[in-house]
Amino acid sequence: CWCHGRRKFFEAQTTAPDEAAHAIALMRKLFRVEHEAKVRGIVGTDAHLSLRIERSKPVVDDIFAWITDARPKVLPKSPIGAALGYMDRPRSRLELFLSAPRVPLHNNASERRLRVIALLRKTSLFFGPPRAGRLYAGLFSLVATAVANEHEPTEYLADVLIRAQRATTDEELDALLPDRWSPPT
């Protein structure tokens, strides 16, 4: 994730301020493009992808060219070396946002949701029999996915629980998943 890479360069500022500042400035350009897409209301669309290809791709190429040039000049275990190494290893994953408009530049939302899941894991230990904890975890996952897809959870569950009882095929059940569900008209 670009946020983790940026964080590693922030940590490296004490030992390599110029290199870290250069990397942070380059990454800031990527986040500015995302901000512009948000302001224009095109996030997740083909127009967003076009904007990324036009404005972000050259920056990403500059970042990786700079990393390739800078890595041999620093100690691998130094803070700047660790930051450069972190950014160089998952290059294909870091470039994924350039091929799919719905892939965010950062994973902040995922990390926020995972924090909740970690708390849930601890809480579900005290639900009684093991099956109760698993059922609660499944229900929580369904509700969290509905929220992530911008559905009101109560409305979603009220509709889905009734429609799921009448479903006779896998396709009918798949249509009730939060990313495919649409409210009744």
Side-chain angles (χ1 to χ4, degrees), residues 61-154:
D61 292 341
D62 287 349
I63 290 170
F64 285 112
W66 175 76
I67 288 170
T68 302
D69 182 56
R71 253 185 114 177
K73 299 175 185 174
V74 299
L75 294 171
K77 295 198 178 198
S78 68
I80 193 71
L84 291 167
Y86 174 84
M87 293 298 293
D88 205 21
R89 279 188 292 262
R91 182 173 178 166
S92 62
R93 289 186 303 220
L94 289 172
E95 291 180 322
L96 184 61
F97 83 102
L98 295 171
S99 61
R102 291 189 65 186
V103 172
L105 186 62
H106 57 79
N107 66 352
N108 293 344
S110 299
E111 288 190 1
R112 273 193 307 277
R113 289 186 187 109
L114 286 174
R115 215 170 289 126
V116 172
I117 301 267
L119 289 172
L120 170 68
R121 192 177 314 126
K122 291 265 190 192
T123 306
S124 65
L125 291 173
F126 306 101
F127 269 70
R131 185 169 185 254
R134 284 193 302 272
L135 289 172
Y136 179 76
L139 180 61
F140 184 86
S141 177
L142 190 63
V143 169
T145 306
V147 169
N149 282 280
E150 300 177 354
H151 301 307
E152 199 284 310
T154 308

Side-chain angles (χ1 to χ4, degrees), residues 2-74:
W2 289 96
C3 286
H4 287 152
R6 190 170 60 170
R7 189 175 310 130
K8 289 194 177 288
F9 283 110
F10 271 112
E11 293 166 1
Q13 282 182 316
T14 56
T15 58
D18 294 337
E19 293 87 349
H22 180 68
I24 292 167
L26 287 171
M27 287 184 222
R28 188 173 291 129
K29 290 179 182 181
L30 297 176
F31 285 93
R32 283 189 186 128
V33 172
E34 296 305 298
H35 177 71
E36 181 181 333
K38 186 175 181 180
V39 168
R40 290 171 52 185
I42 60 171
V43 173
T45 65
D46 289 338
H48 187 195
L49 184 58
S50 296
L51 183 67
R52 283 177 169 177
I53 291 168
E54 176 189 333
R55 302 251 312 276
S56 295
K57 176 128 179 48
V59 175
V60 169
D61 292 341
D62 287 349
I63 290 170
F64 285 112
W66 175 76
I67 288 170
T68 302
D69 182 56
R71 253 185 114 177
K73 299 175 185 174
V74 299

Side-chain angles (χ1 to χ4, degrees), residues 163-177:
R163 288 168 57 186
Q165 293 175 20
R166 290 184 246 146
T168 57
T169 66
D170 288 344
E171 290 78 23
E172 289 175 342
L173 284 174
D174 286 348
L176 300 177
L177 292 171

